[in-house]
Amino acid sequence: MRQSVALHHASRLVNHGPTVLVTTEHAGRRNVMAAAWSMPVEFTPPRIAVVVDKKTFTSELLQASGRFALCLPVPALADLTYRVGSESGRDIDDGGDKFARHGIVVFAGPELGLPLVEGCCAWLELRHLPEPHSEQAYDTVFGEVVSAQADARVFAQGRWSFRDDNVQLHTLHHLGGGAFAVPSRVVQATLRAD
Amino acid sequence: MRQSVALHHASRLVNHGPTVLVTTEHAGRRNVMAAAWSMPVEFTPPRIAVVVDKKTFTSELLQASGRFALCLPVPALADLTYRVGSESGRDIDDGGDKFARHGIVVFAGPELGLPLVEGCCAWLELRHLPEPHSEQAYDTVFGEVVSAQADARVFAQGRWSFRDDNVQLHTLHHLGGGAFAVPSRVVQATLRAD
């Protein structure tokens, strides 16, 4: 049920603060980590900031390749999300990587060919916008979205639709210590607008 | 039930991506706006990034005063949140402000004296960390938390506790168009850690 999302709707995918899996690939090496800290910074062009510790393997691959992807995990991936956020791909010394270690199935991103995690509910590929000062001082990395996709059962026509019949596709929002809130209830302001 | 939150736990308050009300005050003028786009960038010292359009009245007061506050609204404040995110304090020309217009009750922040919105579930005061380039290029404003408080019925010992018996104190996560997701369900990774 994976469908393309118009780029002017891409910021909606992360507007509500989900935890993301950051994937990277460079010269045959690849990695995946979890990041609770990301946010859109611009609708058009769609730009996102994400905090990636400059000491991580992800940062190394991101800086070397100039690209990264964000995948939005769902409740069934809570364990995996917590694990890949708690270990470094650098520590895997048998020639494997975190994808192999955890049996993570990926597909290739449509624009940049980045490894995107199967079973997530949304996927974005981004070109890195180098900002040495923000990266150095705040570990804050900026990127511009060049492809966006979502599972049409939970995101369609530019909107999330969190319902009782699709709870398995809701996003995860890290509370700390491996506890994730799931945004399963929705309230609508009466002063509605689009 | 307002209690002080240790500063090393302050990032937890916004770790899961809630929409916030940004309040500012300078030389007798004050304002409140909604921001869906914020994230922690550092645990210690606790630092947060928030996107504030440089053309807004909030930006003007923030830049002039060097401080701002974040208040986390709850479901009963969904209408108010959407309203203060859809109008400018600059357009109120009768000598009033958005607080007066909407009957918003405030109390003074403990460190900086900023107007904090009653009825929210958490409150942070921040000193502005001037970053002219990030502000100009990405509307991204950095701040360091100098006070943090939360309603102890939903946040205690450094942790959110979203339960069925405190749904009126859960956070709001903007999906767009005035629809807010509420993180009322929690999943726990089995690989638990603190």
Side-chain angles (χ1 to χ4, degrees), chain B residues 22-54:
Chain B
V22 183
T23 62
T24 43
E25 182 170 43
H26 179 68
R29 298 158 78 207
R30 57 186 188 164
N31 198 35
V32 53
M33 65 167 264
W37 299 351
S38 74
M39 64 177 184
V41 298
E42 185 67 72
F43 291 108
T44 308
R47 290 175 167 174
I48 291 173
V50 58
V51 177
V52 177
D53 187 323
K54 67 187 82 59

Side-chain angles (χ1 to χ4, degrees), chain A residues 146-186:
Chain A
V146 295
S147 84
Q149 299 173 87
D151 190 309
R153 293 171 292 179
V154 69
F155 187 94
Q157 281 86 49
R159 293 186 176 279
W160 288 105
S161 178
F162 295 124
R163 307 180 309 269
D164 287 347
D165 66 359
N166 64 6
V167 290
Q168 80 282 6
L169 292 169
H170 294 187
T171 50
L172 297 178
H173 300 248
H174 195 222
L175 299 173
F180 295 93
V182 183
S184 293
R185 200 159 64 90
V186 175

Side-chain angles (χ1 to χ4, degrees), chain B residues 43-67:
Chain B
F43 291 108
T44 308
R47 290 175 167 174
I48 291 173
V50 58
V51 177
V52 177
D53 187 323
K54 67 187 82 59
K55 298 184 300 294
T56 59
F57 189 39
T58 289
S59 178
E60 180 183 329
L61 298 183
L62 189 162
Q63 294 286 346
S65 67
R67 60 205 169 109

Side-chain angles (χ1 to χ4, degrees), chain A residues 15 37 79 180 182 185 190, chain B residues 15 37 79 182 185 187 190:
Chain A
N15 203 74
W37 299 351
D79 271 2
F180 295 93
V182 183
R185 200 159 64 90
T190 54
Chain B
N15 203 73
W37 299 351
D79 271 2
V182 183
R185 198 159 66 89
V187 297
T190 53

